[in-house]
Amino acid sequence: MRPSILDPLFAPATTLSGVGPKLGKVLDRFLGEETRPARVLDLMFHLPSGAVDRRPSPSIAEAPIGDVATFAARVVEHRPAPAGRKAPYRVIVEDETGDVTLVFFHADSRHLAQSLPVGAYRLISGKLELWEGMRQMVHPERILDPKAAGELPSFEPVYPLTEGIGARVMMRIAQAAAERCPEMPEWQDPAFLAKGDFPSFHAAIAALHHPADRKAAEGDTVARRRIGYDELLASQIALALVRRQQKKIAGRATSGDGALRFRIQSALPFELTEGQRKAIADIHADMARSERMLRLLQGDVGSGKTVVALMAMAAAAEAGRQSVLMAPTEILARQHAERLAPLAEKAGLKLALLTGREKGAGRRQVLEGLASGAIDIAVGTHALFQEGVAFHDLALAVVDEQHRFGVHQRLLLGAKGEAVDVLVMTATPIPRTLSLTWFGDMDISILAEKPAGRKPIVTRAISSERYDEVVGAIGRAVENGQQVYWVCPLVQESDTLDVAAAQERFDALREVFGGKVGLLHGQMPGREKDAAMAAFVAGETRILVSTTVIEVGVDVPNASVMVIEHAERFGLAQLHQLRGRIGRGAAASTCLLLYKGPLGPIAEARLTIMRETEDGFRIAEEDLRLRGEGEVLGTKQSGSPDWRIARPESDGDLLAAARDDARLLIERDPQLETPRGQAIRVLLYLFERDVAIRLLRAG
Ligand code: ADP
Ligand code: MG
């Protein structure tokens, strides 16, 4: 049950004074959800985005023009609008250095006579302007008796607004909500707080709603970081609890004698890199433990993740158990199967392919092999996890290119065997800050270096007006025995238009290069896709025109030129993924980014970054900077963290600290029973990560 200390915060916003049913409805739409109204909590976490400087100027002459100015002045004269005319009502105020005309449209003269009596001194604040050489202020925002000057804060917070709520009302109710914040039991480590000079939660909330300066209002303070850290800790603890729970599910140790692995390694035409060796060792250690493995293998495109997966699957087979390798697309599943089959065969392993396209007798045979245990390794798409697929003894599931799967789908993986070890491979170089928020519940192995012998890719941005030159250049590359990917862009997110663009380019290049040109797109029947891919791999076609279906994982070492049309339409991560298809073989590689000008600033920045670096991590960080968190991993999916206060792009240090702290805490106090554990429960409810608490009871 929710700790009662939080009750005032979880009450509906309408319990705040001044929030009636009408304002309540507006707030529900703004800060509530379909299933619940806006609460005091939502307003308390609705933080200012900036502040207005209302510090008084010493005199009218020194008050800033063109900005919000605050000054004391004596009321000299009222000039009501002449009867029947639409002119505004004017009030003249002055001090010894100058005067200001206050301008009121549709004025209520009685009200003005009261608030600005002639002869009285007033503190006035609002936007000061020059009008025909005279200072004027249209509709002052504040008019105060100097005795009440204390009511005017030096910096007045400005809140994000919605239609139907004015700035002053929003400030009043957000601050009222903050007032409701109780003194909380401290859930943070006191030493950590002391070191960073962090205030208490309560004090931090108060400081955020009463900023001491502009920077504070923009969230650049220890108060904002404190609460951001609270939020990160809550999420990391929730993840740690989930992880503990998942690991508790009947773990089984899987370990073999190493014989199959040895055979595979001897059959490889190359030496494993240091990173690969380390990752393989990590994975085997995990598998040999009786707890469930949940590991993320993160490596830039071309870093050689597949062979790591194969070694893991071989280890499972040594123990007489089965593995699956799941790819996001058919093309990729087929490619994996084709490339792994010879190695598997040399080691005496039985490998089968299962996608939605395997039908009839072939499919039945695979299903039988999986059920009997005759098949050691199944490679396929999500079809592997559909109903009717049963395994004899599944030990390991490897998920390739994970970002293509919804995050929630990985939870499905557990369902096929009681204690399936899970290895997730991702080629999207996820910045560390993000990988922690998304994969904080997983261990991580990183392939940092690329296999030896890779040559740098020369990347150039070229205006599409120079199309003819580009065609000439790829003609020369083809003459030299090279192969070319020609990528056509997304057209308005529409498959059909995409395909039309690719088809058109295919036709045009075919006029020039004839049968050397192939075509590949998502709407082709499976067999045709296979044939197009096979022809390119075999070198029968030299130029492959495609949509972005080749983005993920396709590996043709002889392809060393890539043309990307309308490169300005692609995101950075996608450009990087695409470019990763070349630079894999012996020849020097070139990537030509064709763009149609004029370029916007972001598109230009993207192309510049692409020209400057091949470092996937740097590209991902830049991407994050240019696009913001939500988009880096594609459209926001369910299960994505949605931060109220934390800023993963600038709170990376806190995220790492929160992760370490959460792990330690859960190790020492797995049931959250100590005093700090009790406080942590409050924290989990406060940030609505309390589903994790249910796991405590279940376990
Ligand atoms: P990715 O990490 O993008 O999935 P792959 O596993 O497809 O990368 O590997 C890319 C290419 O590098 C493949 O052709 C693979 O055979 C090759 N490769 C993998 N490991 C090494 C290595 N240690 N040395 C040389 N080449 C390697
Ligand atoms: Mg791959």
Side-chain angles (χ1 to χ4, degrees):
M1 236 193 6
R2 188 171 60 223
S4 57
I5 187 176
L6 296 177
D7 289 350
L9 296 178
F10 281 83
T14 45
T15 59
L16 292 165
S17 78
V19 184
K22 194 165 150 234
L23 184 53
K25 280 222 180 68
V26 179
L27 284 174
D28 287 349
R29 239 180 296 125
F30 187 36
L31 300 174
E33 271 166 22
E34 254 165 62
T35 50
R36 59 155 182 80
R39 301 154 307 179
V40 175
L41 179 83
D42 302 309
L43 277 166
M44 180 182 85
F45 283 139
H46 189 62
L47 296 183
S49 55
V52 179
D53 183 349
R54 295 222 189 264
R55 286 173 300 174
S57 299
S59 68
I60 287 178
E62 288 165 82
I65 307 275
D67 205 344
V68 171
T70 305
F71 50 85
R74 196 169 60 88
V75 181
V76 186
E77 188 194 343
H78 280 237
R79 289 187 197 152
R85 294 242 240 106
K86 276 206 176 145
Y89 190 112
R90 293 189 167 86
V91 178
I92 315 299
V93 301
E94 66 169 25
D95 70 2
E96 51 287 355
T97 67
D99 59 19
V100 177
T101 305
L102 308 181
V103 179
F104 300 89
F105 295 93
H106 312 290
D108 171 352
S109 54
R110 269 218 319 253
H111 174 72
L112 287 178
Q114 261 171 27
S115 62
L116 291 163
V118 173
Y121 280 89
R122 285 290 179 263
L123 192 62
I124 295 162
S125 185
K127 184 145 188 227
L128 190 61
E129 295 160 317
L130 275 188
W131 174 255
E132 295 181 342
M134 312 283 282
R135 289 189 194 85
Q136 75 162 30
M137 184 182 286
V138 179
H139 290 189
E141 291 158 14
R142 298 287 188 281
I143 298 171
L144 291 169
D145 191 312
K147 275 181 266 164
E151 285 171 25
L152 195 67
S154 299
F155 289 89
E156 195 173 73
V158 176
Y159 292 85
L161 297 177
T162 185
E163 205 183 314
I165 307 183
R168 284 182 80 173
V169 169
M170 183 56 89
M171 177 172 78
R172 196 171 47 68
I173 60 179
Q175 289 180 337
E179 296 276 310
R180 290 268 184 99
C181 177
E183 289 281 356
M184 302 280 188
E186 186 54 74
W187 44 72
Q188 294 290 2
D189 174 19
F192 182 86
L193 294 180
K195 211 170 91 203
D197 226 356
F198 288 110
S200 74
F201 181 85
H202 179 268
I205 286 289
L208 285 167
H209 287 279
H210 299 276
D213 53 43
R214 258 202 192 135
K215 263 177 86 180
E218 282 155 15
D220 195 5
T221 54
V222 285
R224 210 275 312 149
R225 287 199 10 118
R226 148 87 213 213
I227 296 183
Y229 186 59
D230 290 335
E231 182 172 33
L232 294 169
L233 183 66
S235 107
Q236 291 301 313
I237 287 187
L239 286 169
L241 289 172
V242 169
R243 169 199 172 83
R244 239 180 86 80
Q245 179 66 19
Q246 290 195 339
K247 284 199 164 178
K248 253 194 267 169
I249 302 172
R252 242 179 90 185
T254 305
S255 70
D257 57 7
L260 290 172
R261 279 170 278 170
F262 180 77
R263 266 190 257 167
I264 289 175
Q265 208 170 328
S266 336
L268 287 176
F270 48 72
E271 288 287 311
L272 294 173
T273 64
E274 241 344 272
Q276 286 170 323
R277 281 179 208 281
K278 172 83 173 56
I280 291 167
D282 287 346
I283 292 163
H284 290 156
D286 282 357
M287 289 173 68
R289 246 177 251 132
S290 62
E291 286 161 355
R292 218 170 148 204
M293 171 170 78
L294 288 171
R295 184 170 284 278
L296 178 72
L297 176 62
Q298 183 179 315
D300 204 353
V301 265
S303 59
K305 295 181 291 295
T306 319
V307 65
V308 175
L310 180 63
M311 294 295 271
M313 297 192 290
E318 284 166 16
R321 307 186 64 195
Q322 293 167 295
S323 315
V324 295
L325 170 58
M326 190 158 101
T329 65
E330 264 205 51
I331 290 184
L332 197 53
R334 240 155 252 284
Q335 177 185 287
H336 273 321
E338 273 158 28
R339 302 179 74 236
L340 293 179
L343 286 168
E345 200 175 317
K346 279 202 185 114
L349 287 170
K350 185 107 175 59
L351 182 145
L353 176 71
L354 186 70
T355 71
R357 264 171 57 204
E358 271 62 49
K359 297 250 156 66
R363 181 183 181 83
R364 251 195 322 279
Q365 216 176 2
V366 172
L367 291 182
E368 274 166 24
L370 292 176
S372 72
I375 294 172
D376 302 295
I377 297 175
V379 177
T381 54
H382 54 266
L384 282 169
F385 283 90
Q386 268 154 14
E387 256 169 79
V389 182
F391 293 87
H392 174 65
D393 183 12
L394 184 62
L396 170 69
V398 182
V399 185
D400 193 13
E401 314 289 354
Q402 198 257 356
H403 63 290
R404 282 293 173 108
F405 294 96
V407 173
H408 56 279
Q409 268 173 292
R410 77 173 186 230
L411 294 172
L412 272 177
L413 292 175
K416 285 283 163 181
E418 337 83 88
V420 178
D421 284 331
V422 177
L423 176 66
V424 174
M425 307 198 290
T426 176
T428 302
I430 301 166
R432 179 161 169 74
T433 49
L434 272 185
S435 72
L436 282 177
T437 58
W438 280 70
F439 304 108
D441 59 334
M442 305 184 99
D443 297 297
I444 301 182
S445 294
I446 294 180
L447 300 182
E449 85 248 72
K450 297 225 170 139
R454 294 277 160 82
K455 298 220 174 70
I457 300 170
V458 176
T459 300
R460 292 171 57 203
I462 299 175
S463 162
S464 56
E465 283 164 20
R466 293 167 60 191
Y467 170 83
D468 290 339
E469 284 172 55
V470 171
V471 172
I474 65 166
R476 287 191 295 280
V478 169
E479 297 271 292
N480 284 334
Q482 292 169 270
Q483 284 179 281
V484 180
Y485 289 111
W486 187 298
V487 182
C488 296
L490 265 174
V491 183
Q492 297 172 343
E493 312 270 319
S494 145
D495 260 2
T496 322
L497 290 177
D498 258 18
V499 168
Q503 182 76 47
E504 199 177 306
R505 182 58 65 223
F506 169 71
D507 292 340
L509 290 173
R510 199 151 180 130
E511 299 259 304
V512 185
F513 299 108
K516 289 184 185 148
V517 189
L519 175 67
L520 181 69
H521 62 67
Q523 287 186 0
M524 282 160 52
R527 305 244 165 258
E528 277 179 38
K529 271 194 253 179
D530 291 351
M533 209 52 227
F536 191 61
V537 170
E540 288 155 25
T541 52
R542 313 298 297 180
I543 301 168
L544 185 64
V545 177
S546 79
T547 53
T548 52
V549 288
I550 61 152
E551 178 189 345
V552 170
V554 172
D555 187 24
V556 180
N558 193 45
S560 58
V561 179
M562 174 168 286
V563 180
I564 303 178
E565 263 193 86
H566 282 296
E568 78 280 359
R569 293 188 191 161
F570 291 95
L572 260 185
Q574 207 175 11
L575 288 174
H576 178 65
Q577 285 288 317
L578 285 167
R579 185 174 59 180
R581 302 300 119 219
I582 57 172
R584 295 175 165 230
S589 294
T590 310
C591 178
L592 302 178
L593 304 173
L594 288 193
Y595 65 86
K596 191 157 166 24
L599 288 177
I602 295 207
E604 181 156 0
R606 284 195 205 120
L607 298 188
T608 304
I609 292 158
M610 288 299 292
R611 287 207 319 267
E612 281 174 3
T613 186
E614 272 185 71
D615 177 346
F617 285 84
R618 172 153 174 237
I619 289 173
E621 298 282 358
E622 297 283 352
D623 200 22
L624 191 63
R625 213 170 44 72
L626 291 174
R627 297 167 69 188
E629 174 200 0
E631 279 183 73
V632 172
L633 293 164
T635 43
K636 281 214 163 197
Q637 310 171 47
S638 61
S640 79
D642 203 0
W643 305 110
R644 283 175 178 273
I645 315 288
R647 299 178 181 175
E649 64 292 356
S650 59
D651 293 343
D653 55 329
L654 295 179
L655 188 47
R659 181 177 190 239
D660 294 344
D661 197 14
R663 289 202 160 189
L664 208 64
L665 196 115
I666 296 305
E667 232 167 71
R668 288 196 191 141
D669 182 13
Q671 293 297 317
L672 299 180
E673 285 160 341
T674 62
R676 188 173 178 209
Q678 296 289 342
I680 292 283
R681 286 172 185 247
V682 176
L683 173 71
L684 291 173
Y685 276 100
L686 182 62
F687 284 98
E688 301 175 80
R689 300 297 205 278
D690 47 287
V691 241
I693 290 181
R694 255 172 264 153
L695 295 175
L696 288 180
R697 269 186 232 124

